[in-house]
Amino acid sequence: MAATLPAAALRPMPVGTPPLTARAMIGLFGIFLAAMMAGLNGRSGSLGLADVSGALGFGSDEASWLNTLYSAGELLAMPFTTWFAITFSVRRFHLSMLTLSAAIAAVLPLTVDLNLLLILRLVQGVSAGALIPLLMMMALRTLPPSIRLHGLALYAMTATFAPNVAIWIVGQWTDVVADWRWLYWQFIPVAGVSGVLVASALPREPIIWKRFSSINWMGLATGIPGLVLLTIALDQGNRLDWFNSPLICSAMAIGCICLVAYAVVEWSHPAPFIKFQLLARRNLHLGFTIFIFMLIVLISGAVLPSSFLASNWGYRALQSAPIGLLIGLPQLVAGSLVALLLYKKWVDARHVFAAGLTLIGISCFRGAQIDASWIWEQFVPVQIMQAIGQPMAVVSMLFLATSVVQPMEGPYVSGFVNTLRALSTLLGGALVNHLTEVRQHFHSYILIDRFGDIGQSLPQMADATALATAINTQVLSLATADIYHILGCLALALVPLALMMQFIPAPNSTPLPQPSPHPFLSEG
């Protein structure tokens, strides 16, 4: 792994960016709207699953596959999206995926057959998942260095804004409007606006059929089943008791074999979907490693407290909404404020990155003080620190990582980042769910054992129902505190890695437009 990079690689992509126009900005905004709705779509389906399954008469176990297959479709789209977008043109590919997602959203609430619902949800995961990588790809392609960080801040909002605000939106549909169908229909009006903007702003470009002569068919054949099977293993593992389930064992084993084969094929192919050789650059292999664990840590944001409130107090999405809004709403400006900070010549992005991780870690240790009496108001200091720390960490990481690649390498980086993002979200959810279950069993055993020691000395027998409720409440609080501790330690452990990344000077604030109509086509 190279310790130093050529001088050209240290500059934050100063060449190969076409002149910025109003049409390009309109098109980028349309892509941003679609990416945000794609993020909301996935999170809304998860949060509103109980309402959907109840309305359609499905059991919770069989309905859980709706989220699993959507996540599988979303993940398998991530590595391949940019290749197909370049081949078919961004305009044509984006509008096709947007239309398909909207069409499925329209018919999903009208479908009562579970098997058909599962197929539709899988296809929608592919089409909606394909919308997210286009945002980073087009931000790197469209924006000059003088404002590129603001484009990365927009992309960061898909990880910091959409998942958190989704809690409030789901609450509106299920508890205020009282119509669960809008969990799916909400995608349609925003898709219409996005489609109009993209169709009117992005240029019509021909399909580059010759690229199919060099497509990595073996990469598709190994990557797609590998990603789908790994998603099934991670998402269903906790419910099916992990390696005590033949399905999970088979999915995990075959999925990992397929993904290893995919990595080998991609490494040796002259026109890969993802160029693994880029990982030789320090800021990429360090940055992506941190990114994986950082996304796991971000579960401490809205997911962990809302899960506690739902289990302990029976909160529904609308009641937990303040938890998400405290993080989500500030992201409308927080990302751009971090971008402005990174443009200062005296600012070292590594220090901003480390400070963000530290603040997230401190918020976790504050959350670890949780007890059974906490309602959403007690989480306010925790969420405020998360709201500040998350954009500092995410935007800084994106800046440090994308600044060591050239414009023609942008699609590879976009595929990398988005694949890792989807995979890390699944991994984090599986890890936190498993650890929560393990710690609950541990604390339950300890509390019951201690009660057994003192129970005989009590003046009167305790009510069994009240005792069970009290123990379960304490077990949940103690297990949640343990998860906060683990995530806080993980966040702080990432700080030295952030400081080890290569220093990148602040981007040039003077636009340097270069005439290059197809900056991504130079590598085939």
Side-chain angles (χ1 to χ4, degrees), residues 83 87 208-217 269-271 524:
W83 191 94
T87 302
I208 311 173
W209 294 108
K210 66 179 182 180
R211 284 170 59 85
F212 280 98
S213 64
S214 61
I215 188 174
N216 187 0
W217 292 110
H269 199 276

Side-chain angles (χ1 to χ4, degrees), residues 137-151:
M137 172 178 152
M138 291 303 291
L140 296 175
R141 175 180 181 175
T142 304
L143 302 176
S146 56
I147 60 172
R148 183 171 290 135
L149 284 181
H150 294 286

Side-chain angles (χ1 to χ4, degrees), residues 152-459:
L152 295 178
L154 289 179
Y155 172 79
M157 287 177 64
T158 63
T160 57
F161 175 82
N164 293 303
V165 174
I167 302 175
W168 177 80
I169 293 176
V170 169
Q172 295 299 309
W173 300 139
T174 58
D175 293 349
V176 178
V177 178
D179 190 342
W180 63 269
R181 295 175 296 178
W182 280 99
L183 294 171
Y184 300 115
W185 287 345
Q186 66 181 349
F187 186 88
I188 299 173
V190 180
V193 175
S194 172
V196 169
L197 294 176
V198 170
S200 61
L202 295 188
R204 297 177 181 269
E205 298 172 335
I207 299 175
I208 311 173
W209 294 108
K210 66 179 182 180
R211 284 170 59 85
F212 280 98
S213 64
S214 61
I215 188 174
N216 187 0
W217 292 110
M218 187 58 67
L220 284 172
T222 54
I224 290 176
L227 292 169
V228 171
L229 290 173
L230 189 60
T231 300
I232 291 173
L234 291 175
D235 203 52
Q236 292 287 330
N238 205 59
R239 186 179 71 85
L240 298 178
D241 197 20
W242 291 102
F243 296 110
N244 291 318
S245 165
L247 173 63
I248 298 303
C249 291
S250 301
M252 184 70 76
I254 299 173
C256 289
I257 291 171
C258 287
L259 290 179
V260 170
Y262 169 73
V264 171
V265 170
E266 285 283 78
W267 184 277
S268 58
H269 199 276
F273 297 105
I274 290 180
K275 184 177 284 189
F276 286 92
Q277 288 85 345
L278 292 176
L279 293 179
R281 302 175 190 176
R282 187 199 306 176
N283 277 19
L284 289 181
H285 66 253
L286 274 179
F288 289 165
T289 300
I290 298 171
F291 189 52
I292 292 171
F293 292 104
M294 181 172 67
L295 288 174
I296 295 174
V297 170
L298 293 189
I299 291 177
S300 63
V303 177
L304 197 56
S306 61
S307 176
F308 170 81
L309 293 172
S311 300
N312 195 45
W313 297 104
Y315 273 30
R316 288 177 54 80
L318 188 63
Q319 295 165 303
S320 296
I323 294 294
L325 294 178
L326 283 168
I327 296 178
L329 290 182
Q331 306 312 310
L332 294 172
V333 296
S336 288
L337 291 177
V338 173
L340 289 173
L341 179 64
L342 295 178
Y343 274 118
K344 303 297 182 182
K345 300 298 181 184
W346 49 269
V347 172
D348 188 334
R350 298 174 300 177
H351 296 160
V352 178
F353 192 4
L357 290 172
T358 302
L359 199 54
I360 294 172
I362 293 172
S363 76
C364 290
F365 290 122
R366 176 67 179 86
Q369 300 175 25
I370 188 172
D371 60 47
S373 66
W374 277 35
I375 56 176
W376 75 264
E377 284 91 345
Q378 277 70 52
F379 286 98
V380 170
V382 178
Q383 301 304 91
I384 290 176
M385 285 188 281
Q386 290 272 349
I388 300 171
Q390 286 189 17
M392 291 174 65
V394 175
V395 176
S396 299
M397 189 285 299
L398 292 174
F399 165 63
L400 289 167
T402 60
S403 293
V404 298
V405 298
Q406 296 302 308
M408 74 286 297
E409 298 169 330
Y412 300 128
V413 173
S414 178
F416 248 133
V417 168
N418 286 282
T419 302
L420 291 176
R421 172 190 160 180
L423 191 57
S424 300
T425 301
L426 286 168
L427 180 62
L431 179 64
V432 168
N433 287 336
H434 181 66
L435 287 175
T436 301
E437 186 174 289
V438 169
R439 297 307 295 172
Q440 283 181 332
H441 287 165
F442 171 78
H443 291 298
S444 179
Y445 173 80
I446 295 297
L447 290 178
I448 292 174
D449 184 63
R450 289 182 178 177
F451 178 78
D453 291 338
I454 66 172
Q456 301 299 323
S457 62
L458 295 177

